[in-house]
Amino acid sequence: AGLFVLYAGRRSKRRARERHETVNNRLKKFNALYCKFRHDIHKHKIMFKAIATIVKVSFNNCEKLFQ
């Protein structure tokens, strides 16, 4: 049972890393992470939340997590 638990833990950590990379790649599609943001910090927070919400909605609408 111990070996199975170790394997399951590694597998779940791998899936979490893959999921994190997928979310990061989708955030990068907006190019907001590459260009200099020229507005105050309050607008930066609003923009990032909007992009994160769009990505979350795409997951909720059954868009595949891994392609």
Side-chain angles (χ1 to χ4, degrees), residues 14-35:
R14 186 187 78 232
R15 295 271 302 164
R17 281 192 304 270
E18 290 170 349
R19 188 171 44 247
H20 189 76
E21 275 300 311
T22 301
V23 171
N24 283 344
N25 287 333
R26 291 190 185 180
L27 290 174
K28 289 178 183 178
K29 284 183 183 178
F30 287 91
N31 288 332
L33 303 175
Y34 294 112
C35 58

Side-chain angles (χ1 to χ4, degrees), residues 5-57:
V5 171
L6 180 64
Y7 175 73
R10 286 181 182 169
R11 190 173 72 190
S12 65
K13 286 181 182 180
R14 186 187 78 232
R15 295 271 302 164
R17 281 192 304 270
E18 290 170 349
R19 188 171 44 247
H20 189 76
E21 275 300 311
T22 301
V23 171
N24 283 344
N25 287 333
R26 291 190 185 180
L27 290 174
K28 289 178 183 178
K29 284 183 183 178
F30 287 91
N31 288 332
L33 303 175
Y34 294 112
C35 58
K36 185 174 182 177
F37 195 75
R38 301 178 194 276
H39 305 285
D40 65 14
I41 194 72
H42 177 70
K43 289 184 180 181
H44 183 272
K45 181 179 176 181
I46 292 170
M47 182 202 63
F48 189 81
K49 279 187 172 184
I51 293 171
T53 301
I54 291 168
V55 171
K56 183 178 181 213
V57 167

